[in-house]
């Protein structure tokens, strides 16, 4: 299994890092290579949020996740049951192939996956998983796709909005279910951040348009922090406003704030709004000033069920929000331990 995912990683690297086919060592033919790059280039026609740049960013995340030494160490940390279960995986579609880690955990743990792809991200994952099945035909007994409602399974892993999860809790009440609700990420600044760190913070906020649960939507700033530095170091995301869906969100919330005389800061690409909330709308970043960082840490701990990642000095480094390690489990629940306890 580890060798298979090593080949998969090598294949992804050849696609992401080179502009031409690198030979059969990549694991695919030249025609397959060209077909896949064409699929990525056209994906935005089906889902405008999935631009070519964002899909390649997602593939780079998979390459990072499958680093061979870390993957081997990760797999060796667990003992697995010899009685495989069929686990339904209801994948989200907010960012490219966001459910891959769940699939990886199910397969590494010796279980079988019943995959329900999101309609927002179905075409390319089918292609990628198809390569795994092509290279390792015995996996056909371990991976099954659900075209309609999932049926005949022993457990389920699902991600969705808070409203959706309430429905899923009722629907899946007869089986063990790992259900993940809406989360967001925050950054805690101490005032000593360099311009490069703030540049990287902008990546944490706006990669994938800010649609991932690991995207930062709330900043905790020390009193007196100059918010202009946030704008100045996010200029490399000026192109976002040209994306019609993102631009529509920006126009909508800017209009709402103006009509309701709500104060906000603006650079014509995104807005900073002083707000105690965590879940800022798309194109808006909430911020809050603090005097005592201990109180901030206490507040974050209190809201831990709503927070996926915390960025800052001594925490997750700036710029690394969308580069989780293989043992950075969603919602801080060890997926493989959960699977082993079914």
């Amino acid at each position: 299994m580890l060798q298979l995912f090593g080949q998969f990683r090598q294949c992804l690297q050849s696609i992401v890092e080179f502009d031409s086919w690198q030979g059969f060592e990549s694991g695919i033919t030249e025609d397959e290579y060209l077909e896949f790059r064409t699929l990525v280039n056209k994906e935005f026609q089906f889902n405008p949020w999935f631009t070519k740049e964002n899909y390649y960013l997602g593939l780079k995340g998979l390459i990072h996740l499958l680093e061979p030494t870390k993957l081997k160490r990760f797999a060796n940390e667990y003992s697995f049951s010899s009685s495989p279960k069929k686990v339904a995986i209801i994948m989200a579609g907010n960012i490219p192939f966001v459910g891959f880690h769940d699939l990886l955990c199910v397969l590494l743990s010796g279980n079988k996956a019943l995959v329900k792809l999101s309609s927002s991200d179905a075409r390319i994952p089918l292609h990628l998983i198809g390569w795994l099945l092509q290279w390792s035909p015995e996996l056909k007994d371990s991976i099954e796709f659900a075209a309609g409602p999932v049926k005949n399974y022993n457990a389920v892993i699902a991600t969705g909005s808070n409203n959706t999860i309430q429905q899923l809790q009722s629907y899946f009440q007869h089986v063990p279910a790992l259900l993940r609700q809406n989360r967001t990420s925050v950054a805690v600044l101490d005032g000593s951040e360099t311009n490069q760190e703030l540049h990287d913070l902008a990546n944490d906020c706006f990669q994938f348009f800010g649609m991932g649960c690991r995207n930062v939507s709330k900043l905790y700033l020390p009193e007196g922090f100059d918010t202009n530095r946030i704008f100045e170091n996010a200029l490399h995301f000026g192109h976002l406003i040209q994306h019609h869906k993102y631009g529509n969100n920006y126009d909508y919330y800017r209009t709402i704030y103006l009509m309701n005389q709500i104060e906000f800061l603006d650079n014509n690409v995104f807005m900073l709004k002083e707000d105690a909330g965590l879940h800022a709308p798309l194109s808006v970043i909430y911020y809050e000033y603090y005097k005592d960082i201990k109180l901030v840490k206490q507040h974050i701990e209190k809201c831990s069920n709503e927070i996926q990642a915390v960025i800052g000095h001594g925490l997750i480094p700036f710029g690394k929000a969308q580069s989780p390690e293989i043992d950075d489990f969603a919602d801080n629940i060890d997926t493989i331990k959960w699977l082993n306890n079914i």
Side-chain angles (χ1 to χ4, degrees):
M1 185 70 72
L2 296 182
Q3 184 178 359
L4 174 65
F5 283 113
Q7 181 180 355
F8 184 60
R9 182 178 188 269
Q10 184 177 350
C11 178
L12 296 183
Q13 282 182 305
S14 72
I15 292 169
V16 169
E17 297 176 5
F18 300 97
D19 291 328
S20 60
W21 181 59
Q22 296 300 297
F24 289 103
E25 289 185 1
S26 64
I28 55 176
T29 66
E30 185 173 13
D31 286 344
E32 288 173 326
Y33 170 89
L34 294 173
E35 180 185 8
F36 185 79
R37 290 187 70 97
T38 299
L39 279 175
V40 173
N41 292 341
K42 290 184 175 180
E43 183 62 19
F44 76 95
Q45 297 176 4
F46 301 97
N47 183 347
W49 296 111
F50 282 19
T51 62
K52 177 181 71 174
E53 294 76 15
N54 278 350
Y55 223 106
Y56 280 117
L57 183 62
L59 294 180
K60 288 178 181 178
L62 296 187
I63 293 169
H64 176 77
L65 196 69
L66 295 173
E67 197 282 321
T69 302
K70 293 179 181 178
L71 179 60
K72 183 177 181 180
R73 184 173 66 243
F74 174 76
N76 289 338
E77 288 179 356
Y78 302 91
S79 58
F80 304 116
S81 170
S82 58
S83 178
K85 307 291 193 302
K86 181 182 287 189
V87 182
I89 306 174
I90 315 298
M91 293 191 176
N94 53 325
I95 64 177
F97 215 5
V98 69
F100 179 80
H101 190 272
D102 288 331
L103 176 62
L104 177 66
C105 288
V106 169
L107 295 178
L108 286 179
S109 62
N111 291 292
K112 299 181 179 182
L114 174 59
V115 180
K116 176 66 174 177
L117 294 169
S118 167
S119 59
S120 298
D121 186 24
R123 289 155 293 277
I124 292 178
L126 272 174
H127 218 80
L128 294 176
I129 296 173
W131 286 341
L132 294 175
L133 297 175
Q134 175 182 313
W135 299 332
S136 183
E138 63 271 19
L139 266 187
K140 291 180 180 179
D141 292 330
S142 299
I143 301 177
E144 179 184 347
F145 292 99
V150 293
K151 299 178 181 178
N152 303 321
Y153 50 88
N154 305 112
V156 64
I157 301 173
T159 304
S161 67
N162 292 348
N163 291 335
T164 300
I165 290 300
Q166 289 180 0
Q167 298 173 18
L168 294 180
Q169 285 174 338
S170 175
Y171 189 82
F172 294 119
Q173 60 182 323
H174 62 290
V175 296
L178 177 54
L179 305 179
R180 307 193 185 106
Q181 303 183 41
N182 280 354
R183 289 197 177 215
T184 190
S185 296
V186 303
V188 182
L189 281 63
D190 60 23
S192 68
E193 288 76 17
T194 65
N195 286 337
Q196 182 61 53
E197 287 175 322
L198 295 181
H199 175 280
D200 294 341
L201 172 62
N203 294 341
D204 296 329
C205 294
F206 297 112
Q207 285 179 336
F208 302 113
F209 295 100
M211 296 182 69
C213 65
R214 297 185 67 89
N215 283 113
V216 170
S217 64
K218 172 66 176 281
L219 307 176
Y220 292 95
L221 308 175
E223 281 195 336
F225 188 92
D226 183 5
T227 52
N228 285 325
R229 295 191 64 204
I230 303 296
F231 288 132
E232 290 167 358
N233 289 286
L235 295 177
H236 56 299
F237 281 101
H239 64 279
L240 291 184
I241 200 64
Q242 300 173 16
H243 187 275
H244 71 282
K245 280 188 170 291
Y246 178 91
N248 287 344
N249 276 270
Y250 169 83
D251 290 339
Y252 174 80
Y253 286 106
R254 189 174 187 276
T255 300
I256 292 295
Y257 294 159
L258 288 172
M259 290 179 63
N260 290 279
Q261 298 183 343
I262 297 173
E263 292 186 3
F264 64 95
L265 305 174
D266 185 17
N267 72 343
N268 296 318
V269 177
F270 67 95
M271 290 161 280
L272 291 173
K273 180 177 180 290
E274 191 167 4
D275 197 299
L278 294 174
H279 299 268
L282 203 68
S283 77
V284 181
I285 302 295
Y286 288 162
Y287 70 96
E288 192 173 348
Y289 288 114
Y290 68 86
K291 292 182 180 179
D292 187 346
I293 197 168
K294 292 181 181 178
L295 297 179
V296 174
K297 293 178 179 178
Q298 291 174 7
H299 179 67
I300 289 174
E301 180 64 27
K302 183 179 179 181
C303 300
S304 59
N305 64 330
E306 298 182 65
I307 297 174
Q308 192 67 261
V310 184
I311 313 301
H313 291 150
L315 303 164
I316 297 174
F318 293 103
K320 298 299 183 180
Q322 291 293 350
S323 300
E325 299 298 333
I326 194 168
D327 56 356
D328 286 334
F329 294 101
D331 294 11
N332 296 315
I333 298 174
D334 188 319
T335 310
I336 292 187
K337 285 185 178 179
W338 181 84
L339 289 166
N340 285 342
N341 289 328
I342 295 174

